[in-house]
Amino acid sequence: MDRPDPALGASVTMTAADLAATWIRGLGSRELTAQRRLFVFPHAGAGASAYRLAAYLPDTVEVCTVQLPGRETRFAEPALTSLDEAVAALAPLIADHADLPYAFFGHSMGSLIAFETARRLRALGTPLPDRLFLSGMRAPGLPDRDPRHTLPDEQLLATAEFGGVDTELQELLLPLLRADLTLCETYTHRAEAPLPCPLTVLAGSDDHSVDGTELADWRKHTSADFEMRLFPGAPHLYVRGAERQLAETITRTFPARG
């Protein structure tokens, strides 16, 4: 049955498989060996190719990375500025691929989207993730420190972490970054019962955008196991370059089921 893609407009339809492949990269990539799935939600300004976790995970784990509109293969599409819109699109697609045990990994903006997607899946009655790995983001309900989405271009560019990207490309990526920051900074947390999913909260020890108290506040959002791990000497975007250590953390607490 065809489904409309909310990012493309109501007049555009595609098959369920095509829609899933547009929003989630890597589905079916380990079809013959996969025993479980890891859905990855990248940070603001990033696309599905941002992390290389699949290279460090066993072939029993199929890594499926969210590709939001406005980046990489979806560069021509308008970026979303509403977290609710992103979750509304993603949750049914993930629900269709909950046939295997699965977990979520999200970094920064991706942590919020992963968390709210899990809550939407609960509302849909879908089997929930075995664990949420939430990285580099303060717990929901805490105020943003210094909202940036309304800053003039020059000031916003000065605050961005583009990791060696040349100036011309930075300016090209700026509207995407602003849209992603709008998505995060206009998000309103709604009180619900804690998730029954265990949480692992991660961050770099030198991440100045979040502190230990803000990370520990995630504990109130689960009724199950909670753990927190800091990567020594690592900045906010520690994920790039720490994929091996992340993979080890994920496989330790997301074991294969017989």
Side-chain angles (χ1 to χ4, degrees), residues 197-222:
C197 314
L199 302 187
T200 295
V201 172
L202 309 156
S205 66
D206 290 352
D207 184 350
H208 302 300
S209 71
V210 64
D211 63 32
T213 301
E214 293 168 320
L215 293 169
D217 204 62
W218 278 104
R219 186 185 298 272
K220 68 178 63 172
H221 296 288
T222 177

Side-chain angles (χ1 to χ4, degrees), residues 138 143-149 151 185:
R138 67 188 63 83
D144 289 305
R145 294 183 179 184
D146 298 299
R148 296 186 289 158
H149 71 278
L151 289 176
E185 294 172 358

Side-chain angles (χ1 to χ4, degrees), residues 4-36:
D5 184 340
L8 300 178
S11 62
V12 178
T13 61
M14 56 179 72
T15 67
D18 288 342
L19 186 57
T22 298
W23 282 85
I24 306 172
R25 314 295 291 180
L27 286 169
S29 59
R30 294 180 173 176
E31 184 177 5
L32 299 180
T33 58
Q35 299 175 16
R36 50 202 170 129

